[in-house]
Amino acid sequence: VNLRNPAALILACLPLGACEWRIQNALAPAGPHADIVATLSWVMFIGGGLIFVFVMALSAYAVWAPAERRAWLGHRRTIIAGGLAFPIVTLTALLIYGFFIFRGLHVEDEPLAARIEVIGERFWWRVNYYGEDGELLFVTANEIRMPTGRPVLFVLKAQDVIHSFWVPALAGKLDMIPAHVNEYAFAAERPGVYRGQCAEFCGAQHTKMAFYVVALLPDEYEAWVAEQMEPADEPDTPFLEQGKRLFLANGCGSCHRVAGTPADGLLGPDLTHIGSRLSLAAGVLPNNIGTLGGWISSAQHIKPDNLMPSFGNLQGEELRAIAAYMESLK
Ligand SMILES: [Cu+2]
């Protein structure tokens, strides 16, 4: 694509879902917490812009105005007022304003709608859902569903190195630090799909460490939770049966758990309901039978250095069967 040609640029955007600019945009807030961040950003952009224009105008004046008229610019009083007093007053006011509006980020008094633990892993996100009494309800990966309306508590941890949890349309970012627990509560106002991204360099595939947040109306969310707590669907055709056999025979279960089968590995993402997720491998591929087959046979090509080996031995019919089995796990 010739990026200097605007028409070509617009055409190039079409496959990206018509440039869904809202999906990962701190300036298109979809909840009260992101709203606060966006408001503060605008105050800073506009304030900073005005000051920039003012300073540029003064600089032009200093260069081109007649010498006797610009002399005051060099006076001691001007320098103290413009170089000391002005920044101290403006930055102090900004600090106080920041403290003031960020009080809105605290949700201590509001009842929480859910408690979700998110753990940064080597290039993917482990997601644990907890019930009201602190019991583990189910485990998923790379996709977080949350109810709209009330704040959800995110308990953020890291397994290996520092990652950072960031869903620009819903909240600011917060680091995930090994051997340390960070907590962050925020809400989504409108149902929708929002994209998150690891915001702290964590290794070779850091850029390929994204995830989706799907905000659902509360009753849709409850229905989804009930589905996720079920064990995996049993294969109902001989082809899917073959896929399940191959899954277990190839050792996939040493790293992946599929509830209701002997597969109980913990190193990789839980695959009990992999077929119901929007993306594969932390937002890298859309999720369908073709990309599933591609990922299984070429994981190291798609995301070099991730912890899943490529299964180049699986081809043709076998690869299709195992991918179809994955897709059937809704
Ligand atoms: Cu990361």
Side-chain angles (χ1 to χ4, degrees), residues 120-121 123-125 161-164 198-203 205-206 209:
E121 302 270 349
F123 316 139
W124 60 281
W125 313 82
V161 298
I162 301 178
H163 303 267
S164 183
C198 180
E200 175 72 47
F201 181 75
C202 59
Q205 298 303 324
H206 158 70
M209 185 167 167

Side-chain angles (χ1 to χ4, degrees), residues 47-256:
L50 290 175
I51 293 171
F52 178 76
V53 169
F54 179 65
V55 170
M56 286 299 114
L58 271 188
S59 309
Y61 187 79
V63 173
W64 287 301
E68 66 283 3
R69 296 186 57 185
R70 65 178 188 221
W72 62 273
L73 277 171
H75 290 168
R76 199 185 167 83
R77 232 179 322 136
T78 314
I79 292 169
I80 290 176
L84 271 175
F86 180 73
I88 289 174
V89 169
T90 329
L91 293 177
T92 308
L94 191 62
L95 183 71
I96 293 169
Y97 173 70
F99 283 147
F100 178 75
I101 71 166
F102 269 41
R103 281 187 321 179
L105 289 181
H106 286 282
V107 293
E108 267 145 40
D109 307 331
E110 292 174 62
L112 295 166
R115 178 161 172 262
I116 305 173
E117 183 176 80
V118 187
I119 305 173
E121 302 270 349
R122 181 142 154 198
F123 316 139
W124 60 281
W125 313 82
R126 189 188 297 273
V127 185
N128 299 326
Y129 280 73
Y130 286 92
E132 276 169 21
D133 304 321
E135 75 284 18
L136 182 65
L137 297 180
F138 62 91
V139 178
T140 179
N142 301 325
E143 187 169 306
I144 297 165
R145 303 213 175 192
M146 65 188 279
T148 52
R150 278 195 287 150
V152 168
L153 180 68
F154 291 92
V155 179
L156 305 176
K157 300 180 179 176
Q159 187 84 306
D160 41 25
V161 298
I162 301 178
H163 303 267
S164 183
F165 181 79
W166 192 27
V167 196
L170 294 179
K173 57 180 92 132
L174 191 61
D175 278 2
M176 308 166 108
I177 301 166
H180 180 85
V181 180
N182 271 337
E183 293 194 344
Y184 199 1
F186 57 82
E189 220 157 48
R190 297 184 253 117
V193 178
Y194 308 102
R195 191 175 184 278
Q197 166 69 41
C198 180
E200 175 72 47
F201 181 75
C202 59
Q205 298 303 324
H206 158 70
T207 51
K208 291 188 177 167
M209 185 167 167
F211 60 102
Y212 287 94
V213 174
V214 183
L216 299 170
L217 294 172
D219 46 341
E220 289 172 11
Y221 172 76
E222 291 307 329
W224 176 79
V225 167
E227 275 166 32
Q228 294 290 308
M229 286 173 64
E230 295 289 319
D233 290 342
E234 277 303 315
D236 54 7
T237 68
F239 188 53
L240 295 179
E241 191 66 60
Q242 184 197 357
K244 180 177 176 183
R245 255 198 325 275
L246 286 164
F247 183 85
L248 295 172
N250 278 278
C252 311
S254 60
C255 295
H256 293 291

